[in-house]
């Protein structure tokens, strides 16, 4: 079974530039998550999708961050414009239905904003 | 509000010795508890979970964890540590009062010395 796929793995941009991350979840997983992980910390939820619907985006900085999950499969997370403080690892995860189910994580995208 | 505490930034243990990585939590309702492991430059990988039932749960790679409701703890254990167990370990909690949002601890780095 293929795991969660993320691209790119690494991205270096200058501040004020836009950037986008892509995630393809495990086939059949209806729940998709985007997390931000700073160095030395645990993942923090940015947004959670149930199929196409964003059911929890309370932690997403909506002035510069946006996300979409068209057709309820793969997803894109965008930052525009990027700031120095956005440098972090962006993790995508997916899970099948059920609140007790574990999440499967992709390898992450390491973003460096110069 | 939900919270998770991992009181140790790092745990050092000799190969062959038992290991314990501590986790305490705070939730309003009944918790769903998880342990994940993260190897360098990789996403988090699920180890085990407690949803209900037996307080001692067994997971991947010989790990186990004990749910203790009175002490609000969910410590990760392994009877005999391997050098290959060296990694970053995250405890996570989820409950219905938090909208089933998963909250991760800050992580504990396990170092197993040969």
């Amino acid at each position: 079974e293929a795991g969660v796929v993320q691209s790119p793995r690494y991205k270096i941009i200058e501040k004020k530039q836009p950037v986008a991350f892509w995630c393809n979840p495990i086939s059949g997983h209806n729940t998709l998550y985007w997390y931000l992980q700073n160095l030395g910390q645990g993942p923090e939820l940015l947004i959670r999708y149930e199929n196409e619907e964003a059911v929890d985006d309370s932690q997403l900085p909506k002035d510069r961050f946006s996300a979409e999950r068209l057709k309820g499969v793969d997803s894109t997370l965008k930052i525009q414009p990027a700031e120095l403080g956005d440098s972090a690892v962006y993790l995508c995860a997916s899970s099948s239905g059920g609140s007790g189910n574990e999440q499967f994580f992709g390898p992450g995208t390491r973003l460096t904003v110069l | 509000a939900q919270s998770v505490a991992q009181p140790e930034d790092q745990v050092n243990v000799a190969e062959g010795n038992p290991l314990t990585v501590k986790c305490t939590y705070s939730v309003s309702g009944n918790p769903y508890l998880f342990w994940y492991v993260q190897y360098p430059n990789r996403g988090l990988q699920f180890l085990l979970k407690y949803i209900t039932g037996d307080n001692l749960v067994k997971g991947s790679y010989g790990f186990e964890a004990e749910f203790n409701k009175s002490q609000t703890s969910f410590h990760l254990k392994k009877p005999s540590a391997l050098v290959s167990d060296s990694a970053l370990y995250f405890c996570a909690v989820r409950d219905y009062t938090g909208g089933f949002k998963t909250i991760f601890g800050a992580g504990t780095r396990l170092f197993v010395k040969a």
Side-chain angles (χ1 to χ4, degrees):
Chain A
E1 173 182 89
V4 176
V5 179
Q6 290 188 248
S7 68
R9 291 293 311 277
Y10 304 90
K11 189 73 175 180
I12 302 174
I13 60 172
E14 295 187 347
K15 63 181 181 181
K16 301 185 180 180
Q17 293 300 307
V19 64
F21 314 123
W22 176 80
C23 172
N24 188 253
I26 291 173
S27 178
H29 282 190
N30 57 318
T31 307
L32 184 146
Y33 313 77
W34 283 103
Y35 288 92
L36 180 152
Q37 185 178 24
N38 287 306
L39 187 65
Q41 297 183 25
E44 299 173 30
L45 182 70
L46 289 172
I47 189 168
R48 173 167 65 100
Y49 283 93
E50 297 288 346
N51 299 305
E52 303 91 350
E53 182 182 1
V55 298
D56 185 352
D57 63 355
S58 57
Q59 301 302 311
L60 189 72
K62 297 181 184 63
D63 57 336
R64 297 184 301 106
F65 286 64
S66 65
E68 61 182 13
R69 191 185 185 196
L70 302 176
K71 301 181 180 179
V73 181
D74 56 350
S75 176
T76 302
L77 177 69
K78 299 178 180 178
I79 308 175
Q80 182 172 10
E83 297 179 351
L84 295 177
D86 296 331
S87 296
V89 175
Y90 292 82
L91 295 168
C92 180
S94 69
S95 67
S96 58
S99 56
N101 287 343
E102 62 272 22
Q103 298 172 40
F104 293 81
F105 285 80
T109 297
R110 182 177 297 277
L111 174 66
T112 301
V113 182
L114 302 177
Chain B
Q2 302 162 272
S3 66
V4 178
Q6 293 183 242
E8 303 153 317
D9 291 336
Q10 181 165 314
V11 170
N12 299 307
V13 64
E15 187 174 34
N17 283 359
L19 68 87
T20 299
V21 182
K22 296 180 180 178
C23 172
T24 59
Y25 65 90
S26 175
V27 298
S28 300
N30 293 320
Y32 296 169
L33 295 156
F34 303 81
W35 275 102
Y36 290 84
V37 60
Q38 187 174 34
Y39 298 99
N41 298 316
R42 297 178 67 177
L44 280 69
Q45 183 176 338
F46 169 75
L47 277 179
L48 51 78
K49 65 182 177 183
Y50 172 82
I51 303 300
T52 187
D54 194 348
N55 289 344
L56 183 65
V57 294
K58 295 184 182 297
S60 306
Y61 312 122
F63 284 94
E64 59 188 30
E66 185 168 13
F67 170 63
N68 188 316
K69 188 173 183 178
S70 63
Q71 297 186 6
T72 61
S73 67
F74 190 57
H75 301 332
L76 182 70
K77 299 182 180 183
K78 187 173 183 181
S80 179
L82 299 173
V83 172
S84 58
D85 293 330
S86 299
L88 191 55
Y89 290 80
F90 291 96
C91 181
V93 66
R94 180 192 300 168
D95 85 323
Y96 74 94
T97 62
F100 290 111
K101 177 184 295 184
T102 304
I103 303 298
F104 287 85
T108 298
R109 185 165 299 281
L110 174 66
F111 182 71
V112 182
K113 184 177 181 180

